[in-house]
Amino acid sequence: MDIGKARAELVLVALLLGVGIGLRMPALAFVALPLAVHLLGGFALAAADRRPRLAASRTLTASRAWEGEEIEVAVNVTNRGRRVELLHLRDPVPSEAQVLGGTWELVTDLGPGEAATLAYRIRVRRGVYDLAGVQVQARDLLGFVGWSEEVPCPATLTVLPRYERLQGVALAPRRTLPQAGTARSRRPGSGVEFFGCREYRPGDEIRRINWKASARTGDLVVTEYEEERAADVAVVLDVREAAYRGENPLDLLDHAVRGAASLVQGFLAGGNRVGLLLYGAYLDWVYPGYGRRHGERLLRKLARARPGRSEVFAELRRIPTQLLPAGSQIAVVSPLLPGDEEDLGALAARGYRVMVLVPDVTTMERESLGEGPEVELAARILALERRALLARLYAAQVRPLVWDVRYPLAPQARAAWRRIR
Amino acid sequence: MIPALLGSVGAYLAVWAALGFTREPLWWASLAAPLVAGLGAVLRHRGLLGAGLYLQVGLAAAAAVGGNRTLALGAVALAAWSWDMGNLARARLGLGDPRRIRRLVLAAVGRSTGLALAGLGVGLGFSSLRVRLPFWGVVGGVAASWLALVLLLRAVGRAYGLGGEARGNRSSSLRFTG
């Protein structure tokens, strides 16, 4: 309870009375009288307002949304006690939210049983937001007695990253799973890619006989196709703070998260077993799994991704390979720091198939830099550095894709990763 | 904001009138009182508003001692009214529905005016009384009034305060923590 105003007046009255009587100056004591009446009257009227008994409820048009979507929030505050003369309601909007319209702060009076509503529209950045309660300040008309509290009306808003449907991305890990999938298994079986020819054996399907080869050799020859199976895939999202530079590092991270989400969903759609590792301040690992529910779990994990700093995980060489099945496919999403290509090459040397998606910060920020010879020169230098980086990655047996984030990822991924090198 | 400014200027003028519109050089230092109160009203600053009230009541007390007591009482009533208006302006009323807010403002102005007039009336009534009390009688009366006021405030605080909240060790742990 805030009675600061009453206390200030009380001190003044006491001062005047004390000095007036102590110095035998009745005029001073008389001056205190209007204040004393003001204080007693105002406080008595204010105290008629008991502590407000308020209840609040919150409604969201969607508790699970995609980034860029509009969400309508409505907070309904009901008075279950006596009349509140002056009520200031404020719903704390997340700092990452952009308010598009409506009322999230209101001053009103509230009679018994009456309700006040805050309703507004927001657009929120990717993330998981715990909306706790509405802040309430109640007071009497003259401000003699006031109360401040937070009325709980909890809700969780999950804003998932958007992703693209990737198709035609070829996987060829050294080891595959027994289930059917889209990864090339390097063994003959039922598939669509040509694998080889062998002599006919009883039981082979007649339609698999390669008549041209049979005519050349004189014996019956059948065509074999490469079996396509599911694979273990680990998507590693680099969230090291040092990797996200430039004017808008969080925007770059958002692009990286979208890229990782696209990869995750694309691999899951291909029947693969997909795990996710957020590599930054600490290791945040989601065990590999299949299916839609697992895809949702991974998206929620990606929604929470924030850059972090750690001396231990400053370099990619600390990627915990014991978590990744031997011979599996690793997809790293990272803007890359100098020296990372060596660590990725070390992974490839251990038998992992490594692909890396590099969201290109230069193309993202090029428009905001304007025109000029210095900008052109810087762009050329960066393009040369990128070309050298790509050459080093190819030499290290890593399949890179530098993603021009101004354009969709799917066609660029298809062009870069369609074929197995 | 404007009523608060008008109130503080009115209180200042009342004090000046109580002192016979003096033009002594030292008097102009008293301009600080309405300035501080006005600044508090404009900036909606609680501390400045309080300081303004204290300065204005101090001026009124000086005027009551050395000048017209009725005008000094009026200045105190105006200062209290101005303080109410300043505190009302701090409530960010612009965030509300204009019709409701107009009704609230009128009610607040009415309540504050009523209290200020009642205080003025009590002050004038007491100052017109001619009662002879021994000094220690006055001291005892004031002490008794003070005690009554403190007890009243405590009782009000207990009745309308937080209430019903647990005290003491409220560890949420269900396990033995020793």
Side-chain angles (χ1 to χ4, degrees), chain A residues 64 66 160-161 163 260-261 264-269 272 274 276 286-303:
Chain A
R64 174 188 179 278
W66 299 103
L160 302 174
Y163 63 87
V264 158
Q265 295 297 326
F267 294 143
L268 282 174
N272 300 296
V274 183
L276 175 67
V286 181
Y287 277 94
Y290 303 95
R292 275 188 174 185
R293 188 173 292 178
H294 186 65
E296 179 74 15
R297 192 179 304 137
L298 297 183
L299 283 179
R300 284 176 186 268
K301 181 63 75 179
L302 286 170

PDB file of all heavy atoms in Angstrom, chain A residues 64 66 160-161 163 260-261 264-269 272 274 276 286-303:
ATOM      1  N   ARG A  64       0.611 -20.588 -30.782  1.00  0.00           N
ATOM      2  CA  ARG A  64       1.716 -21.068 -31.617  1.00  0.00           C
ATOM      3  C   ARG A  64       1.575 -20.356 -32.953  1.00  0.00           C
ATOM      4  O   ARG A  64       0.546 -20.495 -33.621  1.00  0.00           O
ATOM      5  CB  ARG A  64       1.600 -22.570 -31.803  1.00  0.00           C
ATOM      6  CG  ARG A  64       2.579 -23.200 -32.766  1.00  0.00           C
ATOM      7  CD  ARG A  64       2.192 -24.651 -32.991  1.00  0.00           C
ATOM      8  NE  ARG A  64       3.059 -25.331 -33.918  1.00  0.00           N
ATOM      9  CZ  ARG A  64       2.960 -25.260 -35.253  1.00  0.00           C
ATOM     10  NH1 ARG A  64       2.019 -24.513 -35.803  1.00  0.00           N
ATOM     11  NH2 ARG A  64       3.796 -25.929 -36.017  1.00  0.00           N
ATOM     12  N   TRP A  66       3.717 -18.454 -36.527  1.00  0.00           N
ATOM     13  CA  TRP A  66       4.937 -18.369 -37.338  1.00  0.00           C
ATOM     14  C   TRP A  66       5.442 -16.949 -37.291  1.00  0.00           C
ATOM     15  O   TRP A  66       4.651 -16.007 -37.171  1.00  0.00           O
ATOM     16  CB  TRP A  66       4.649 -18.783 -38.786  1.00  0.00           C
ATOM     17  CG  TRP A  66       4.165 -20.192 -38.894  1.00  0.00           C
ATOM     18  CD1 TRP A  66       2.877 -20.589 -39.091  1.00  0.00           C
ATOM     19  CD2 TRP A  66       4.929 -21.390 -38.792  1.00  0.00           C
ATOM     20  NE1 TRP A  66       2.794 -21.955 -39.115  1.00  0.00           N
ATOM     21  CE2 TRP A  66       4.053 -22.480 -38.933  1.00  0.00           C
ATOM     22  CE3 TRP A  66       6.281 -21.640 -38.590  1.00  0.00           C
ATOM     23  CZ2 TRP A  66       4.475 -23.793 -38.891  1.00  0.00           C
ATOM     24  CZ3 TRP A  66       6.701 -22.960 -38.543  1.00  0.00           C
ATOM     25  CH2 TRP A  66       5.809 -24.019 -38.700  1.00  0.00           C
ATOM     26  N   LEU A 160       7.386 -19.640 -34.057  1.00  0.00           N
ATOM     27  CA  LEU A 160       8.320 -20.572 -34.701  1.00  0.00           C
ATOM     28  C   LEU A 160       8.967 -19.937 -35.919  1.00  0.00           C
ATOM     29  O   LEU A 160       8.364 -19.067 -36.568  1.00  0.00           O
ATOM     30  CB  LEU A 160       7.565 -21.833 -35.134  1.00  0.00           C
ATOM     31  CG  LEU A 160       6.848 -22.590 -34.023  1.00  0.00           C
ATOM     32  CD1 LEU A 160       6.039 -23.729 -34.620  1.00  0.00           C
ATOM     33  CD2 LEU A 160       7.841 -23.135 -33.032  1.00  0.00           C
ATOM     34  N   PRO A 161      10.185 -20.376 -36.240  1.00  0.00           N
ATOM     35  CA  PRO A 161      10.822 -19.850 -37.458  1.00  0.00           C
ATOM     36  C   PRO A 161      10.133 -20.386 -38.711  1.00  0.00           C
ATOM     37  O   PRO A 161       9.668 -21.538 -38.727  1.00  0.00           O
ATOM     38  CB  PRO A 161      12.255 -20.372 -37.344  1.00  0.00           C
ATOM     39  CG  PRO A 161      12.152 -21.591 -36.496  1.00  0.00           C
ATOM     40  CD  PRO A 161      11.033 -21.346 -35.534  1.00  0.00           C
ATOM     41  N   TYR A 163      10.092 -21.842 -42.501  1.00  0.00           N
ATOM     42  CA  TYR A 163      11.047 -22.679 -43.232  1.00  0.00           C
ATOM     43  C   TYR A 163      10.532 -22.927 -44.642  1.00  0.00           C
ATOM     44  O   TYR A 163       9.357 -22.739 -44.929  1.00  0.00           O
ATOM     45  CB  TYR A 163      11.289 -24.005 -42.494  1.00  0.00           C
ATOM     46  CG  TYR A 163      10.088 -24.893 -42.349  1.00  0.00           C
ATOM     47  CD1 TYR A 163       9.749 -25.810 -43.338  1.00  0.00           C
ATOM     48  CD2 TYR A 163       9.295 -24.833 -41.228  1.00  0.00           C
ATOM     49  CE1 TYR A 163       8.647 -26.633 -43.199  1.00  0.00           C
ATOM     50  CE2 TYR A 163       8.185 -25.642 -41.084  1.00  0.00           C
ATOM     51  CZ  TYR A 163       7.870 -26.538 -42.072  1.00  0.00           C
ATOM     52  OH  TYR A 163       6.775 -27.342 -41.931  1.00  0.00           O
ATOM     53  N   ALA A 260      18.313 -23.580 -40.878  1.00  0.00           N
ATOM     54  CA  ALA A 260      18.362 -24.829 -40.112  1.00  0.00           C
ATOM     55  C   ALA A 260      16.981 -25.483 -40.070  1.00  0.00           C
ATOM     56  O   ALA A 260      16.859 -26.713 -40.198  1.00  0.00           O
ATOM     57  CB  ALA A 260      18.854 -24.547 -38.695  1.00  0.00           C
ATOM     58  N   ALA A 261      15.944 -24.662 -39.916  1.00  0.00           N
ATOM     59  CA  ALA A 261      14.586 -25.224 -39.875  1.00  0.00           C
ATOM     60  C   ALA A 261      14.239 -25.867 -41.214  1.00  0.00           C
ATOM     61  O   ALA A 261      13.606 -26.939 -41.261  1.00  0.00           O
ATOM     62  CB  ALA A 261      13.579 -24.121 -39.536  1.00  0.00           C
ATOM     63  N   VAL A 264      16.125 -29.182 -41.375  1.00  0.00           N
ATOM     64  CA  VAL A 264      15.533 -30.165 -40.460  1.00  0.00           C
ATOM     65  C   VAL A 264      14.248 -30.738 -41.054  1.00  0.00           C
ATOM     66  O   VAL A 264      14.050 -31.968 -41.099  1.00  0.00           O
ATOM     67  CB  VAL A 264      15.252 -29.469 -39.100  1.00  0.00           C
ATOM     68  CG1 VAL A 264      14.207 -30.217 -38.325  1.00  0.00           C
ATOM     69  CG2 VAL A 264      16.536 -29.343 -38.294  1.00  0.00           C
ATOM     70  N   GLN A 265      13.384 -29.853 -41.517  1.00  0.00           N
ATOM     71  CA  GLN A 265      12.100 -30.321 -42.045  1.00  0.00           C
ATOM     72  C   GLN A 265      12.295 -31.107 -43.347  1.00  0.00           C
ATOM     73  O   GLN A 265      11.596 -32.100 -43.589  1.00  0.00           O
ATOM     74  CB  GLN A 265      11.155 -29.126 -42.279  1.00  0.00           C
ATOM     75  CG  GLN A 265      10.757 -28.409 -41.002  1.00  0.00           C
ATOM     76  CD  GLN A 265       9.970 -29.290 -40.049  1.00  0.00           C
ATOM     77  OE1 GLN A 265       9.193 -30.136 -40.464  1.00  0.00           O
ATOM     78  NE2 GLN A 265      10.189 -29.104 -38.753  1.00  0.00           N
ATOM     79  N   GLY A 266      13.255 -30.657 -44.162  1.00  0.00           N
ATOM     80  CA  GLY A 266      13.527 -31.385 -45.405  1.00  0.00           C
ATOM     81  C   GLY A 266      14.045 -32.784 -45.132  1.00  0.00           C
ATOM     82  O   GLY A 266      13.605 -33.760 -45.762  1.00  0.00           O
ATOM     83  N   PHE A 267      14.972 -32.914 -44.172  1.00  0.00           N
ATOM     84  CA  PHE A 267      15.518 -34.226 -43.857  1.00  0.00           C
ATOM     85  C   PHE A 267      14.455 -35.138 -43.238  1.00  0.00           C
ATOM     86  O   PHE A 267      14.390 -36.328 -43.521  1.00  0.00           O
ATOM     87  CB  PHE A 267      16.714 -34.110 -42.908  1.00  0.00           C
ATOM     88  CG  PHE A 267      17.898 -33.419 -43.526  1.00  0.00           C
ATOM     89  CD1 PHE A 267      18.707 -32.561 -42.790  1.00  0.00           C
ATOM     90  CD2 PHE A 267      18.222 -33.619 -44.860  1.00  0.00           C
ATOM     91  CE1 PHE A 267      19.789 -31.925 -43.362  1.00  0.00           C
ATOM     92  CE2 PHE A 267      19.310 -32.988 -45.445  1.00  0.00           C
ATOM     93  CZ  PHE A 267      20.089 -32.133 -44.690  1.00  0.00           C
ATOM     94  N   LEU A 268      13.631 -34.570 -42.372  1.00  0.00           N
ATOM     95  CA  LEU A 268      12.567 -35.378 -41.760  1.00  0.00           C
ATOM     96  C   LEU A 268      11.572 -35.851 -42.818  1.00  0.00           C
ATOM     97  O   LEU A 268      11.089 -36.985 -42.776  1.00  0.00           O
ATOM     98  CB  LEU A 268      11.833 -34.571 -40.680  1.00  0.00           C
ATOM     99  CG  LEU A 268      12.550 -34.429 -39.340  1.00  0.00           C
ATOM    100  CD1 LEU A 268      11.790 -33.487 -38.437  1.00  0.00           C
ATOM    101  CD2 LEU A 268      12.709 -35.788 -38.662  1.00  0.00           C
ATOM    102  N   ALA A 269      11.271 -34.955 -43.766  1.00  0.00           N
ATOM    103  CA  ALA A 269      10.333 -35.338 -44.824  1.00  0.00           C
ATOM    104  C   ALA A 269      10.895 -36.484 -45.663  1.00  0.00           C
ATOM    105  O   ALA A 269      10.136 -37.272 -46.246  1.00  0.00           O
ATOM    106  CB  ALA A 269      10.030 -34.132 -45.720  1.00  0.00           C
ATOM    107  N   ASN A 272      14.407 -39.410 -42.749  1.00  0.00           N
ATOM    108  CA  ASN A 272      15.663 -39.558 -42.012  1.00  0.00           C
ATOM    109  C   ASN A 272      15.456 -39.337 -40.515  1.00  0.00           C
ATOM    110  O   ASN A 272      14.463 -38.746 -40.092  1.00  0.00           O
ATOM    111  CB  ASN A 272      16.687 -38.556 -42.539  1.00  0.00           C
ATOM    112  CG  ASN A 272      16.978 -38.769 -43.994  1.00  0.00           C
ATOM    113  OD1 ASN A 272      17.511 -39.804 -44.398  1.00  0.00           O
ATOM    114  ND2 ASN A 272      16.580 -37.811 -44.830  1.00  0.00           N
ATOM    115  N   VAL A 274      16.645 -37.313 -37.497  1.00  0.00           N
ATOM    116  CA  VAL A 274      17.305 -36.003 -37.441  1.00  0.00           C
ATOM    117  C   VAL A 274      17.480 -35.563 -35.987  1.00  0.00           C
ATOM    118  O   VAL A 274      16.541 -35.604 -35.197  1.00  0.00           O
ATOM    119  CB  VAL A 274      16.485 -34.943 -38.206  1.00  0.00           C
ATOM    120  CG1 VAL A 274      17.207 -33.602 -38.201  1.00  0.00           C
ATOM    121  CG2 VAL A 274      16.244 -35.392 -39.633  1.00  0.00           C
ATOM    122  N   LEU A 276      19.387 -32.339 -33.498  1.00  0.00           N
ATOM    123  CA  LEU A 276      19.712 -30.909 -33.609  1.00  0.00           C
ATOM    124  C   LEU A 276      20.645 -30.531 -32.478  1.00  0.00           C
ATOM    125  O   LEU A 276      20.420 -30.887 -31.321  1.00  0.00           O
ATOM    126  CB  LEU A 276      18.420 -30.072 -33.530  1.00  0.00           C
ATOM    127  CG  LEU A 276      18.611 -28.556 -33.518  1.00  0.00           C
ATOM    128  CD1 LEU A 276      19.163 -28.061 -34.840  1.00  0.00           C
ATOM    129  CD2 LEU A 276      17.292 -27.850 -33.209  1.00  0.00           C
ATOM    130  N   VAL A 286      19.256 -32.068 -29.112  1.00  0.00           N
ATOM    131  CA  VAL A 286      17.997 -32.797 -29.181  1.00  0.00           C
ATOM    132  C   VAL A 286      18.295 -34.129 -29.861  1.00  0.00           C
ATOM    133  O   VAL A 286      18.818 -34.156 -30.978  1.00  0.00           O
ATOM    134  CB  VAL A 286      16.938 -32.026 -30.004  1.00  0.00           C
ATOM    135  CG1 VAL A 286      15.632 -32.807 -30.022  1.00  0.00           C
ATOM    136  CG2 VAL A 286      16.718 -30.647 -29.419  1.00  0.00           C
ATOM    137  N   TYR A 287      17.974 -35.218 -29.150  1.00  0.00           N
ATOM    138  CA  TYR A 287      18.302 -36.538 -29.678  1.00  0.00           C
ATOM    139  C   TYR A 287      17.578 -36.788 -31.000  1.00  0.00           C
ATOM    140  O   TYR A 287      16.471 -36.311 -31.210  1.00  0.00           O
ATOM    141  CB  TYR A 287      17.940 -37.611 -28.660  1.00  0.00           C
ATOM    142  CG  TYR A 287      19.013 -37.779 -27.636  1.00  0.00           C
ATOM    143  CD1 TYR A 287      18.949 -37.094 -26.440  1.00  0.00           C
ATOM    144  CD2 TYR A 287      20.107 -38.592 -27.891  1.00  0.00           C
ATOM    145  CE1 TYR A 287      19.955 -37.218 -25.492  1.00  0.00           C
ATOM    146  CE2 TYR A 287      21.118 -38.721 -26.958  1.00  0.00           C
ATOM    147  CZ  TYR A 287      21.041 -38.037 -25.767  1.00  0.00           C
ATOM    148  OH  TYR A 287      22.044 -38.152 -24.865  1.00  0.00           O
ATOM    149  N   PRO A 288      18.210 -37.575 -31.874  1.00  0.00           N
ATOM    150  CA  PRO A 288      17.601 -37.798 -33.188  1.00  0.00           C
ATOM    151  C   PRO A 288      16.254 -38.513 -33.079  1.00  0.00           C
ATOM    152  O   PRO A 288      16.026 -39.305 -32.173  1.00  0.00           O
ATOM    153  CB  PRO A 288      18.622 -38.689 -33.903  1.00  0.00           C
ATOM    154  CG  PRO A 288      19.892 -38.479 -33.185  1.00  0.00           C
ATOM    155  CD  PRO A 288      19.537 -38.179 -31.783  1.00  0.00           C
ATOM    156  N   GLY A 289      15.392 -38.191 -33.989  1.00  0.00           N
ATOM    157  CA  GLY A 289      14.073 -38.823 -34.015  1.00  0.00           C
ATOM    158  C   GLY A 289      13.430 -38.630 -35.366  1.00  0.00           C
ATOM    159  O   GLY A 289      14.007 -38.034 -36.282  1.00  0.00           O
ATOM    160  N   TYR A 290      12.241 -39.192 -35.472  1.00  0.00           N
ATOM    161  CA  TYR A 290      11.520 -39.136 -36.742  1.00  0.00           C
ATOM    162  C   TYR A 290      10.203 -38.408 -36.542  1.00  0.00           C
ATOM    163  O   TYR A 290       9.719 -38.252 -35.429  1.00  0.00           O
ATOM    164  CB  TYR A 290      11.142 -40.539 -37.219  1.00  0.00           C
ATOM    165  CG  TYR A 290      12.269 -41.517 -37.393  1.00  0.00           C
ATOM    166  CD1 TYR A 290      12.593 -42.400 -36.377  1.00  0.00           C
ATOM    167  CD2 TYR A 290      12.970 -41.574 -38.585  1.00  0.00           C
ATOM    168  CE1 TYR A 290      13.599 -43.328 -36.535  1.00  0.00           C
ATOM    169  CE2 TYR A 290      13.987 -42.505 -38.747  1.00  0.00           C
ATOM    170  CZ  TYR A 290      14.293 -43.379 -37.724  1.00  0.00           C
ATOM    171  OH  TYR A 290      15.288 -44.293 -37.889  1.00  0.00           O
ATOM    172  N   GLY A 291       9.603 -38.056 -37.634  1.00  0.00           N
ATOM    173  CA  GLY A 291       8.192 -37.706 -37.648  1.00  0.00           C
ATOM    174  C   GLY A 291       7.857 -36.255 -37.354  1.00  0.00           C
ATOM    175  O   GLY A 291       8.717 -35.434 -37.082  1.00  0.00           O
ATOM    176  N   ARG A 292       6.554 -36.013 -37.433  1.00  0.00           N
ATOM    177  CA  ARG A 292       6.067 -34.649 -37.295  1.00  0.00           C
ATOM    178  C   ARG A 292       6.247 -34.089 -35.895  1.00  0.00           C
ATOM    179  O   ARG A 292       6.601 -32.938 -35.712  1.00  0.00           O
ATOM    180  CB  ARG A 292       4.570 -34.616 -37.626  1.00  0.00           C
ATOM    181  CG  ARG A 292       4.275 -34.490 -39.082  1.00  0.00           C
ATOM    182  CD  ARG A 292       2.812 -34.265 -39.257  1.00  0.00           C
ATOM    183  NE  ARG A 292       2.474 -34.004 -40.629  1.00  0.00           N
ATOM    184  CZ  ARG A 292       1.268 -33.680 -41.020  1.00  0.00           C
ATOM    185  NH1 ARG A 292       0.292 -33.606 -40.141  1.00  0.00           N
ATOM    186  NH2 ARG A 292       1.015 -33.443 -42.283  1.00  0.00           N
ATOM    187  N   ARG A 293       5.960 -34.954 -34.914  1.00  0.00           N
ATOM    188  CA  ARG A 293       6.078 -34.466 -33.538  1.00  0.00           C
ATOM    189  C   ARG A 293       7.523 -34.075 -33.232  1.00  0.00           C
ATOM    190  O   ARG A 293       7.788 -33.076 -32.574  1.00  0.00           O
ATOM    191  CB  ARG A 293       5.586 -35.553 -32.575  1.00  0.00           C
ATOM    192  CG  ARG A 293       5.499 -35.067 -31.156  1.00  0.00           C
ATOM    193  CD  ARG A 293       4.849 -36.090 -30.268  1.00  0.00           C
ATOM    194  NE  ARG A 293       3.445 -36.273 -30.583  1.00  0.00           N
ATOM    195  CZ  ARG A 293       2.661 -37.148 -29.975  1.00  0.00           C
ATOM    196  NH1 ARG A 293       3.154 -37.933 -29.044  1.00  0.00           N
ATOM    197  NH2 ARG A 293       1.390 -37.250 -30.293  1.00  0.00           N
ATOM    198  N   HIS A 294       8.441 -34.869 -33.728  1.00  0.00           N
ATOM    199  CA  HIS A 294       9.853 -34.544 -33.527  1.00  0.00           C
ATOM    200  C   HIS A 294      10.202 -33.254 -34.277  1.00  0.00           C
ATOM    201  O   HIS A 294      10.966 -32.420 -33.766  1.00  0.00           O
ATOM    202  CB  HIS A 294      10.711 -35.703 -34.028  1.00  0.00           C
ATOM    203  CG  HIS A 294      12.171 -35.525 -33.736  1.00  0.00           C
ATOM    204  ND1 HIS A 294      12.674 -35.504 -32.456  1.00  0.00           N
ATOM    205  CD2 HIS A 294      13.226 -35.329 -34.570  1.00  0.00           C
ATOM    206  CE1 HIS A 294      13.977 -35.318 -32.514  1.00  0.00           C
ATOM    207  NE2 HIS A 294      14.337 -35.207 -33.773  1.00  0.00           N
ATOM    208  N   GLY A 295       9.614 -33.090 -35.463  1.00  0.00           N
ATOM    209  CA  GLY A 295       9.845 -31.862 -36.220  1.00  0.00           C
ATOM    210  C   GLY A 295       9.374 -30.641 -35.442  1.00  0.00           C
ATOM    211  O   GLY A 295      10.036 -29.598 -35.417  1.00  0.00           O
ATOM    212  N   GLU A 296       8.232 -30.771 -34.781  1.00  0.00           N
ATOM    213  CA  GLU A 296       7.705 -29.666 -33.971  1.00  0.00           C
ATOM    214  C   GLU A 296       8.654 -29.377 -32.805  1.00  0.00           C
ATOM    215  O   GLU A 296       8.925 -28.222 -32.481  1.00  0.00           O
ATOM    216  CB  GLU A 296       6.314 -30.057 -33.455  1.00  0.00           C
ATOM    217  CG  GLU A 296       5.664 -29.009 -32.575  1.00  0.00           C
ATOM    218  CD  GLU A 296       5.158 -27.810 -33.353  1.00  0.00           C
ATOM    219  OE1 GLU A 296       5.063 -27.916 -34.594  1.00  0.00           O
ATOM    220  OE2 GLU A 296       4.885 -26.768 -32.729  1.00  0.00           O
ATOM    221  N   ARG A 297       9.167 -30.443 -32.190  1.00  0.00           N
ATOM    222  CA  ARG A 297      10.107 -30.272 -31.071  1.00  0.00           C
ATOM    223  C   ARG A 297      11.355 -29.513 -31.539  1.00  0.00           C
ATOM    224  O   ARG A 297      11.833 -28.608 -30.868  1.00  0.00           O
ATOM    225  CB  ARG A 297      10.483 -31.653 -30.541  1.00  0.00           C
ATOM    226  CG  ARG A 297      11.217 -31.621 -29.221  1.00  0.00           C
ATOM    227  CD  ARG A 297      11.538 -33.025 -28.752  1.00  0.00           C
ATOM    228  NE  ARG A 297      10.361 -33.861 -28.645  1.00  0.00           N
ATOM    229  CZ  ARG A 297      10.269 -35.120 -29.050  1.00  0.00           C
ATOM    230  NH1 ARG A 297      11.309 -35.688 -29.619  1.00  0.00           N
ATOM    231  NH2 ARG A 297       9.169 -35.817 -28.917  1.00  0.00           N
ATOM    232  N   LEU A 298      11.837 -29.876 -32.712  1.00  0.00           N
ATOM    233  CA  LEU A 298      13.042 -29.211 -33.223  1.00  0.00           C
ATOM    234  C   LEU A 298      12.750 -27.742 -33.552  1.00  0.00           C
ATOM    235  O   LEU A 298      13.577 -26.857 -33.299  1.00  0.00           O
ATOM    236  CB  LEU A 298      13.558 -29.935 -34.471  1.00  0.00           C
ATOM    237  CG  LEU A 298      14.005 -31.383 -34.251  1.00  0.00           C
ATOM    238  CD1 LEU A 298      14.556 -31.968 -35.542  1.00  0.00           C
ATOM    239  CD2 LEU A 298      15.058 -31.473 -33.172  1.00  0.00           C
ATOM    240  N   LEU A 299      11.560 -27.479 -34.109  1.00  0.00           N
ATOM    241  CA  LEU A 299      11.217 -26.085 -34.422  1.00  0.00           C
ATOM    242  C   LEU A 299      11.138 -25.251 -33.146  1.00  0.00           C
ATOM    243  O   LEU A 299      11.575 -24.104 -33.109  1.00  0.00           O
ATOM    244  CB  LEU A 299       9.874 -26.030 -35.157  1.00  0.00           C
ATOM    245  CG  LEU A 299       9.887 -26.419 -36.629  1.00  0.00           C
ATOM    246  CD1 LEU A 299       8.482 -26.347 -37.204  1.00  0.00           C
ATOM    247  CD2 LEU A 299      10.808 -25.494 -37.424  1.00  0.00           C
ATOM    248  N   ARG A 300      10.581 -25.844 -32.099  1.00  0.00           N
ATOM    249  CA  ARG A 300      10.488 -25.106 -30.829  1.00  0.00           C
ATOM    250  C   ARG A 300      11.875 -24.846 -30.252  1.00  0.00           C
ATOM    251  O   ARG A 300      12.121 -23.807 -29.651  1.00  0.00           O
ATOM    252  CB  ARG A 300       9.628 -25.879 -29.826  1.00  0.00           C
ATOM    253  CG  ARG A 300       8.144 -25.772 -30.151  1.00  0.00           C
ATOM    254  CD  ARG A 300       7.287 -26.594 -29.227  1.00  0.00           C
ATOM    255  NE  ARG A 300       5.907 -26.555 -29.670  1.00  0.00           N
ATOM    256  CZ  ARG A 300       5.002 -25.667 -29.255  1.00  0.00           C
ATOM    257  NH1 ARG A 300       5.344 -24.779 -28.360  1.00  0.00           N
ATOM    258  NH2 ARG A 300       3.777 -25.688 -29.719  1.00  0.00           N
ATOM    259  N   LYS A 301      12.744 -25.812 -30.428  1.00  0.00           N
ATOM    260  CA  LYS A 301      14.120 -25.604 -29.966  1.00  0.00           C
ATOM    261  C   LYS A 301      14.781 -24.487 -30.773  1.00  0.00           C
ATOM    262  O   LYS A 301      15.478 -23.627 -30.220  1.00  0.00           O
ATOM    263  CB  LYS A 301      14.900 -26.915 -30.105  1.00  0.00           C
ATOM    264  CG  LYS A 301      16.327 -26.860 -29.644  1.00  0.00           C
ATOM    265  CD  LYS A 301      16.442 -26.561 -28.182  1.00  0.00           C
ATOM    266  CE  LYS A 301      16.077 -27.749 -27.323  1.00  0.00           C
ATOM    267  NZ  LYS A 301      16.228 -27.448 -25.883  1.00  0.00           N
ATOM    268  N   LEU A 302      14.544 -24.486 -32.079  1.00  0.00           N
ATOM    269  CA  LEU A 302      15.125 -23.437 -32.916  1.00  0.00           C
ATOM    270  C   LEU A 302      14.530 -22.075 -32.577  1.00  0.00           C
ATOM    271  O   LEU A 302      15.205 -21.047 -32.684  1.00  0.00           O
ATOM    272  CB  LEU A 302      14.881 -23.759 -34.393  1.00  0.00           C
ATOM    273  CG  LEU A 302      15.752 -24.880 -34.964  1.00  0.00           C
ATOM    274  CD1 LEU A 302      15.262 -25.272 -36.352  1.00  0.00           C
ATOM    275  CD2 LEU A 302      17.204 -24.444 -35.034  1.00  0.00           C
ATOM    276  N   ALA A 303      13.255 -22.069 -32.175  1.00  0.00           N
ATOM    277  CA  ALA A 303      12.631 -20.787 -31.820  1.00  0.00           C
ATOM    278  C   ALA A 303      13.350 -20.141 -30.644  1.00  0.00           C
ATOM    279  O   ALA A 303      13.391 -18.923 -30.515  1.00  0.00           O
ATOM    280  CB  ALA A 303      11.156 -21.007 -31.477  1.00  0.00           C
TER     281      ALA A 303
END
